Amino acid sequence: QVQLVESGGGLVQAGGSLRLSCAASGRTFSLYPMGWFRQAPGKEQEFVAAISRSNGNTYYADSVNGRFTISRDSAKNAVFLQMNSLKPEDTAVYYCAGTLSTIPGTNVQDRWRYDYWGQGTQVTVSS
């Protein structure tokens, strides 16, 4: 059974930092892209960041570029999201996403391309 489990969310003041973790089990995701998405109250789920296999290329939404960093530890079958300079508009439930297929770099923001999702972790940024 494939599972993705996020952790590391919480309440932080604007300007602060958080580090999200996603632990995968059941299958090895190291050969395939993994991503982070988020959903704020009343809004659609949106792409945040993705990383290609073997800690290769990284991709970011414009809204987080320069503030967030995605990384992975293939040995631990895990992916991380370091979030710095957090803003109130970053408040959302953050979801880890995985796939066992290849995704072209131009399409990593397409949520339908990911087959496996975590339960989400809440990030709240106070002003």
Side-chain angles (χ1 to χ4, degrees), residues 31-80:
L31 297 180
Y32 303 99
M34 294 193 74
W36 287 94
F37 291 75
R38 67 185 182 186
Q39 187 167 20
K43 296 187 177 181
E44 293 187 353
Q45 192 178 64
E46 64 175 359
F47 169 75
V48 175
I51 186 167
S52 65
R53 66 177 184 174
S54 303
N55 205 23
N57 294 333
T58 56
Y59 308 86
Y60 299 95
D62 289 342
S63 59
V64 307
N65 196 22
R67 299 187 297 122
F68 291 10
T69 302
I70 187 171
S71 61
R72 70 192 304 168
D73 185 332
S74 297
K76 295 183 178 180
N77 210 20
V79 66
F80 309 97

Side-chain angles (χ1 to χ4, degrees), residues 74-87:
S74 297
K76 295 183 178 180
N77 210 20
V79 66
F80 309 97
L81 186 68
Q82 178 67 43
M83 306 186 295
N84 298 329
S85 301
L86 283 162
K87 304 175 181 179

